[in-house]
Amino acid sequence: LFRSVGIRNKLLKATRSQQKLQGSLMQAAVALGTRDGVDESLASLSTALAEASEVGVGDGLSWAKHLTTKLKELSEAREAVSLAKSLGDDSLLKKTEESEAIEHLAKALNGAVALSLDEGGELVDAQVTLMALRHQASARAEMESSISRGSSVIAHNGTVLTDLEEAKGLIALADAIRHAQDEGLTSRVDEANSLVQKLRVVNEAKTNMTLAISEGTASLEAKSGEEDAIAALQKAIASYSALKLSGGMSVAKREVRVLTRMSEARSRLGASLANMDKSLVAGKGEDEAIIEVDASIAEAGTFNLTEEIVDAQERLLAFQAFVSAHKQLEDRLAKDKPKRHKPHAKIGRAHV
């Protein structure tokens, strides 16, 4: 009797366990299809599976184990997304380096998408976090790149005058600073702003040097305006020296030398003509004045000061003609006047 009762109890327990397992299997199948209630179904199925195994129920065990594996995959995928999203949100909040968070979240989302967890829209928040992390990472990388580029321009581009690298660096830094501010990044922004100021100073110095050289070239071609051109070139050279730049410096210095000599030649010619006029008034030093004007004309000729030379030559010819005529007059005045003999009356016979 006791034996039969024990057998009956075992059969009842096995029957209940089988029924519980079947119910858990149905619940698990629904959860697997809907992706809803996964953790609850997994817990229920795991308990039912353990009880069934304990009492020796064999029907449905393999299917239960299969469903358990699939539900675990879903649960673990959700847990991975949740943890990775938390890591990403923390990086966005604290503005820390985001590469690790991006790697974990992207991997977790790929696994979740492979299990079709995205069909119900439950991954949207995590995908938004990943997108924000990538934007933040892009802004950080852009900042790093623009600072590196700007620093390189400052360090190595001083020997070049007109390649516009400073302007390009300024544009890149301005974009990087704006994007960093949009993303709430403050790291290295002050450094970038400082670099912007340095690049602006260098860019302005190079722009002024380019303009000064152009003005100097125009002055040499026009044979005029050398004083203003020299002043602009000297100012540009001083700025270059302070910044330790060299691109265009040799050209600027050469133009200053040539323009200075041209200005001095013009001044010498003007001074020699003025001295020539003074000698005319003083009535002395004419020969020395002529020699100096001739020498000044020759020097002006090396700079092709054509208009000044023509004017000087005309004045010199007139001066020489006047001096020659004046000397001839003096010579003539220095000569004795013609002497005439006194008349002598002739005495002869008178005719009647």
Side-chain angles (χ1 to χ4, degrees), residues 19-187:
Q19 291 173 344
K20 185 176 180 180
L21 179 61
Q22 291 299 321
S24 295
L25 284 172
M26 292 181 61
Q27 182 184 0
V30 172
L32 190 62
T34 62
R35 302 299 193 262
D36 188 29
V38 171
D39 290 338
E40 295 83 353
S41 296
L42 178 60
S44 175
L45 183 59
S46 296
T47 301
L49 182 60
E51 291 178 0
S53 299
E54 182 180 349
V55 299
V57 174
D59 188 22
L61 284 183
S62 60
W63 180 240
K65 290 178 180 179
H66 173 73
L67 288 179
T68 298
T69 300
K70 292 299 182 182
L71 288 173
K72 282 183 177 179
E73 288 180 353
L74 289 175
S75 180
E76 290 171 355
R78 279 178 171 155
E79 180 66 14
V81 170
S82 177
L83 291 174
K85 182 180 182 300
S86 295
L87 181 64
D89 289 338
D90 186 67
S91 176
L92 290 173
L93 178 64
K94 297 177 180 178
K95 304 304 175 185
T96 56
E97 208 285 325
E98 51 284 310
S99 59
E100 183 180 357
I102 289 174
E103 181 182 357
H104 287 312
L105 187 52
K107 183 178 180 181
L109 282 170
N110 286 336
V113 170
L115 295 174
S116 301
L117 287 176
D118 59 326
E119 293 179 359
E122 67 175 281
L123 300 181
V124 170
D125 287 345
Q127 289 168 335
V128 169
T129 296
L130 180 59
M131 184 181 299
L133 284 168
R134 285 173 171 162
H135 283 308
Q136 180 174 294
S138 175
R140 190 186 304 278
E142 184 180 5
M143 176 65 75
E144 297 290 336
S145 175
S146 66
I147 288 177
S148 176
R149 177 177 183 174
S151 298
S152 178
V153 170
I154 292 293
H156 306 297
N157 207 51
T159 59
V160 183
L161 178 60
T162 57
D163 63 353
L164 301 178
E165 283 302 310
E166 288 79 15
K168 295 175 184 176
L170 284 169
I171 293 172
L173 280 166
D175 289 341
I177 291 170
R178 184 174 64 255
H179 292 162
Q181 291 172 338
D182 289 344
E183 295 298 325
L185 293 175
T186 57
S187 175

Side-chain angles (χ1 to χ4, degrees), residues 199-258:
L199 283 171
R200 281 177 177 168
V201 171
V202 172
N203 188 58
E204 183 179 0
K206 288 190 173 184
T207 299
N208 290 338
M209 177 61 80
T210 301
L211 292 173
I213 289 175
S214 297
E215 186 177 345
T217 301
S219 178
L220 287 171
E221 291 176 352
K223 311 302 178 187
S224 63
E226 57 267 22
E227 298 301 328
D228 290 339
I230 290 171
L233 283 163
Q234 289 177 333
K235 182 178 179 181
I237 289 171
S239 177
Y240 250 45
S241 298
L243 295 171
K244 294 181 173 57
L245 303 175
S246 60
M249 180 75 90
S250 60
V251 176
K253 287 183 175 180
R254 184 171 62 251
E255 285 195 347
V256 168
R257 288 194 299 270
V258 176

